[in-house]
Amino acid sequence: GGTLLCSGVTGSGHAFLAAWLHREFPHRPLLLVAENLKAQETLHQDLETWLGVAQRGTGGVTAAQPVGNAPTAPIATIPLQFFPAWEILPHEDKLPHADVISERLETLVSLMASFPGKAGHSGAPRITTSVTALLQRTFPPAMLAARTRTLRRGERVDPLDLVGWLEDNGYDSEAQVSAKGEIALRGGIVDVFPLTSPWPVRLEFFGDELESLRTFDPVTQVSREGGQLTELILPPAGEIGVLKREARSHPAEPLASLIDYLPDNTLVLLSDPEAVEAHAL
């Protein structure tokens, strides 16, 4: 719970310090806070280099490498997460880019699964963000959990009920799925492109039984080789729009921030505290 000032750390030294902290405390979550998006991107790229993790967006995960000559401690297998700000104001009549919401929701869903005792727990998360992103409100953990659904092959699901649920959670119905946040219904087939998935997924039903889940190419609409899935996590397809609807129906429901998804033992590193404070005002 204390604060430590590390003076004289500049440039990529912030990322090196973060990598060292992760090696020394591999089971404690690590949150790195930059002053703006540009600084966050630089910090994220430098930290990827020091940790040796896969590039963000590839979906791959590799073990982190030791820093210096100290023995290698157990390392988290959760990918380095990037939690950006909306880059718009809440009152503006437009929505953030789908990739921005995708990165935000991917981080929040990953954190829900990474708490000890939760399914999918595989280590301490590491996240880069900006002070603006920290100040912006988002789904409370309980609300996001209620709006996140897991489908498994072989379970019974009414396709029409599923489409209605997806629409209530921000998905747009289209004749053909080509972008994140879209769904399409054709007979016993539901195509959906979750914001947290690199590929859209084709759900094939026999009556109410979910017979198969397969990823497919949104350009050719052809199933990908080796794209068979046993389960699929469906988070909301939007954030601001869903939150505004929720506020109208439940005005007393308090919102949350990224901090509410992190345990008390999280290590928080402020990269250039004076700049972070200036951007927070």
Side-chain angles (χ1 to χ4, degrees), residues 184-256:
L185 173 64
R186 302 187 310 279
I189 297 176
V190 176
D191 289 344
V192 57
F193 203 152
L195 264 67
T196 54
S197 172
W199 299 99
V201 181
R202 180 158 293 149
L203 287 64
E204 297 184 356
F205 292 85
F206 182 75
D208 289 349
E209 182 181 352
L210 181 54
E211 283 197 319
S212 74
L213 300 91
R214 295 176 295 166
T215 58
F216 66 93
D217 189 318
V219 177
T220 64
Q221 297 291 303
V222 176
S223 297
R224 298 176 59 248
E225 184 176 352
Q228 288 281 357
L229 303 175
T230 57
E231 69 174 30
L232 173 66
I233 297 176
L234 293 171
E239 188 178 7
I240 296 180
V242 177
L243 288 173
K244 286 182 177 179
R245 291 199 304 271
E246 192 74 26
R248 288 193 293 268
S249 57
H250 301 89
E253 182 79 23
L255 298 180

Side-chain angles (χ1 to χ4, degrees), residues 3 19 35 76 177 246 278:
T3 301
E35 69 265 29
V177 168
E246 192 74 26

Side-chain angles (χ1 to χ4, degrees), residues 72-175:
T72 304
I75 297 297
T77 57
I78 299 174
L80 179 63
Q81 300 289 345
F82 188 88
F83 189 81
W86 293 329
E87 296 302 317
I88 66 164
L89 297 176
H91 65 271
E92 291 183 317
D93 190 21
K94 62 179 180 179
L95 296 176
H97 193 278
D99 289 343
V100 171
I101 300 301
S102 174
E103 289 171 324
R104 288 172 63 88
L105 289 178
E106 186 174 353
T107 299
L108 298 181
V109 171
S110 174
L111 288 174
M112 284 199 308
S114 68
F115 288 144
K118 293 279 189 177
H121 174 63
S122 55
R126 299 150 294 166
I127 308 133
T128 63
T129 188
S130 68
V131 64
T132 304
L134 279 185
L135 292 172
Q136 291 171 344
R137 313 305 285 174
T138 187
F139 297 101
M143 184 189 298
L144 182 58
R147 288 184 172 273
T148 300
R149 187 168 179 175
T150 301
L151 298 179
R152 295 178 177 84
R153 189 172 60 199
E155 72 174 301
R156 306 195 73 84
V157 181
D158 187 312
L160 294 178
D161 289 346
L162 175 62
V163 169
W165 182 88
L166 289 168
E167 290 176 339
D168 288 342
N169 282 278
Y171 288 83
D172 295 323
S173 292
E174 302 288 346

